[in-house]
Amino acid sequence: MLRSETADAPERLAAALRGLRVYQQAPRGEAAAPPPEIARVGRACLRDYGGSGRPILFVPSLINPPDVLDLDAERSLLRWLATRGVRPLLLDWGAPAADETDLDISGHVERLLLPLIAAIGEPPVLAGYCLGGTMAVAAAQLAPVRALALIATPWHFGHYPAEDRIALAELWREAGPVTDALGLLPMDLLQAAFWRLDPGRTVAKFERLGMDPPTEEALRAFVRLEDWANDGPPLTRGAARDLFEGFYATDLPGSGQWRVGGATIEADRLDMPVLEIASTTDRIVPHASAVGIGTRLDLALGHVGMIVGGRARSHLWEPLAAWLSDLPGS
């Protein structure tokens, strides 16, 4: 990818490699202790961020760790919301167990998400991020839920650009045999899929790091976010096959063919308040793939920037908090 993106500019290649070395050799501090666990189902659990008021359960993607929603003291949507009259809960999917290799995305909803919703003791607001939002749509149809917030949630997978779907199909052809052999899709291979969706931006961020030495604070923030992006447990073989063959290739959700718990999931028939936050500049979840229901908030922020970027608080955090405070019974 470096060769293809910097083919005519060896100075750019050198800068990107310098930036990569800066990232690799940067000091890492100890990770903060996670909030307390209040419920567990198998390897998944709910973490309580305190606060008072209505519970809002955040459902992260199966890809990458859930702590992008609680990245650090300055970039924690969950800790900030805990001071705004709600009780944020975070679903931590944990790492797949040895007997879960064939657990697909539907199975994650049925066996883990729905029982954890029931463990809260009252119908929560669901807030799903990325693929977690796709799963939250299914849960909202199958469980008592007061309202639903969707953040960068893909639904119409057939609306991904054709070149992206071709690249993802090629990745799956390469990774499929490894996944079958291991029973898991390692994060290393999955991260390559995201690099292929936007290789220019991937190279450019390391190029900037190699050309313009950052302050200590800026480097710490870069490393924390990049470590998150390159970390995470593997996907089960069943979830990986669902994602690449059922979602990206066949568009089961968007075509009305996705079944969970014996029911066909129909997003446009949900009878509850819905807020959908989508980005016009997101390469991971294109704007055209959004669900298209409820109240819509369009942003011009990246897939991760909308959660932790410099404009995240004013553009996403505060509108989300305002919507939550306006819900009936708040």
Side-chain angles (χ1 to χ4, degrees), residues 209-236:
L209 189 64
M211 293 177 64
D212 186 15
T215 64
E216 182 178 337
E217 180 179 354
L219 178 60
R220 183 167 57 250
F222 180 92
V223 168
R224 177 69 181 91
L225 182 57
E226 199 63 25
D227 281 354
W228 166 80
N230 291 296
D231 193 13
L235 279 183
T236 63

Side-chain angles (χ1 to χ4, degrees), residues 20 24 44 58 73 100 117 146 148 151 178 190 229 236 262 285 287:
L20 181 60
Q24 291 172 327
F58 280 83
E100 291 183 318
I117 291 173
R146 293 189 184 275
L148 176 64
I151 304 172
V178 176
L190 200 54
T236 63
V285 177
H287 189 263

Side-chain angles (χ1 to χ4, degrees), residues 62-63 100-110 131 134-135 138 154-155 157 165 168 172 176 179-180 183 185 190 235-254 257-261 265:
L62 294 173
I63 303 162
E100 291 183 318
T101 55
D102 291 319
L103 187 67
D104 58 14
I105 295 176
S106 301
H108 280 77
V109 176
E110 295 175 49
L131 183 63
T134 312
M135 301 165 79
W155 188 259
F157 290 82
R165 298 181 78 194
L168 291 166
W172 182 236
T179 304
D180 286 339
L185 175 61
L190 200 54
L235 279 183
T236 63
R237 176 173 55 205
R241 183 174 292 115
D242 241 5
L243 181 61
F244 285 97
E245 297 180 10
F247 286 16
Y248 286 125
T250 312
D251 190 16
L252 294 179
Q257 301 179 70
W258 187 34
R259 294 183 61 81
V260 181
I265 304 304

